[in-house]
Amino acid sequence: MIRDQETLNLLLDSVARFVRERLVPREAEVAETDQIPPEIVAEMRELGLFGLSIPERYEGLDLTMEEEVLFAFEIAKTSPAFRSLIGTNNGIGSQGIVIDGTEAQKQRYLPRLASGEIIGAFALTEPGSGSDAASLRATAVRDGDCYILNGTKRFITNAPEASIFTVMARTDPQKRGASAISAFIVEKGAPGLSLGKIDKKMGQKGAHTCDVILEDCRVPTENLIGGQEGIGFKTAMKVLDKGRLHIAAVSVGVAERMLEDALRYACERQQFGKPIAEFQLIQAMLADSKAEIYAARCMVLDAARRRDAGLDVTTEASCAKLFASEMCGRVADRSVQIHGGAGYVADYAAERFYRDVRLFRIYEGTTQIQQLVIARNMIRAARG
Ligand code: COS
């Protein structure tokens, strides 16, 4: 539940203004240089954007899920790379510690994540395990007051910028499956940790991913999340439940921006002696996009409110991620179509967004994984 409407409105207004006045004008530059300008990062820190979902006790803003998705609708009305920079600190890079960390782990890392002094990353995926996350092969072997980690993590968002990594690794090599997986906080300077070269992606220039390589990497035992072996997979899944809802909200925000751009273009562009917005075939694309965005927005808000009420939203988070990310892809496609030839060239944002949003249907669980989660939960409930 929203706790303080007035403060929330102030935050949302300042974010909307920040997006409009500071971020939108720099989008093309970020796409060109593949870097977010340092002064923009500094402004994000000043606005408190790195600590939105971190509890107040650890110096974050402690937004409810409903507040967080309302924020995500706004920050997503520009290049997703801007949101991605703060995204891991608020989401997958901090939530393992927030949800299952020990008090000492929270005190050591959360305030610095909240201020943006350090960036967090989440290292689950491996070259051989993507959707089948429980088959991961990285190992963590206890050696006195340390664990020795070995393995490679792939496509790790913000890894080049990160100071800490939540790393999932197998602590019981005899056991297969999820119950042998533990989660660790690995610091950037840990001996044996290195990074691969930055991936060349289809879109989202300015947001970086790369491999994280662990070679006899020594991690102190106090960095085992929750101080308990074997719970790391569940920690990862709980983190992803929240992350999926956040990405669903981001999909809504970007779709709203793409539709605004397409509508403006349709009202300005003249063909056959009048603005193309007056043609019914264009109107159909505008109207379908509007209706689908509205549906996704309602889903995201409903799921967020349920989570705030303490309900299990695994199914709803997957429904929202599935529908909103697929919807966003359709809106991106229509936006390019409405722009016609102009939608295919880089002078207009439609071309860039078309590439950027393709990722939403893939990361934090593909559409097919969301389908699987939803159907499995339905069948489990039906069997009682
Ligand atoms: N919250 C809490 N616990 C959960 C959970 C959730 N959302 N989902 C699963 N678990 C628990 C299960 O209850 C089970 O525990 P028990 O053995 O005690 O019953 C354990 O975790 C293993 O779950 P499950 O048997 O469902 O695991 P599977 O290997 O069958 O796979 C999927 C689960 C496919 C859903 C999982 O691997 C997944 O989400 N894959 C996609 C990974 C992903 O999103 N990657 C994106 C990159 S990270 S940005």
Side-chain angles (χ1 to χ4, degrees), residues 337-349:
Q337 197 67 16
I338 290 168
H339 281 80
Y344 200 68
V345 295
D347 299 353
Y348 288 83

Side-chain angles (χ1 to χ4, degrees), residues 92 122-125 129-135 155-157 177-179 233-241 244 312 314 362-366 369-370 372-373 376-377 380:
I92 55 179
F122 181 76
L124 176 67
T125 300
S129 84
S131 290
D132 184 7
S135 71
F155 308 139
I156 305 306
T157 301
S179 62
F233 187 76
K234 288 185 187 175
T235 301
M237 290 298 113
K238 287 184 270 183
V239 167
L240 287 174
D241 277 349
R244 287 167 183 170
D312 175 355
T314 304
I362 298 171
Y363 72 172
E364 300 205 19
T366 60
I369 285 295
Q370 310 312 327
L372 189 144
V373 169
R376 266 191 188 182
N377 289 348
R380 203 170 291 144

Side-chain angles (χ1 to χ4, degrees), residues 353-367:
F353 278 119
Y354 182 81
R355 287 181 288 106
D356 287 347
V357 305
R358 188 63 185 82
L359 186 58
F360 298 153
R361 293 160 58 196
I362 298 171
Y363 72 172
E364 300 205 19
T366 60
T367 288

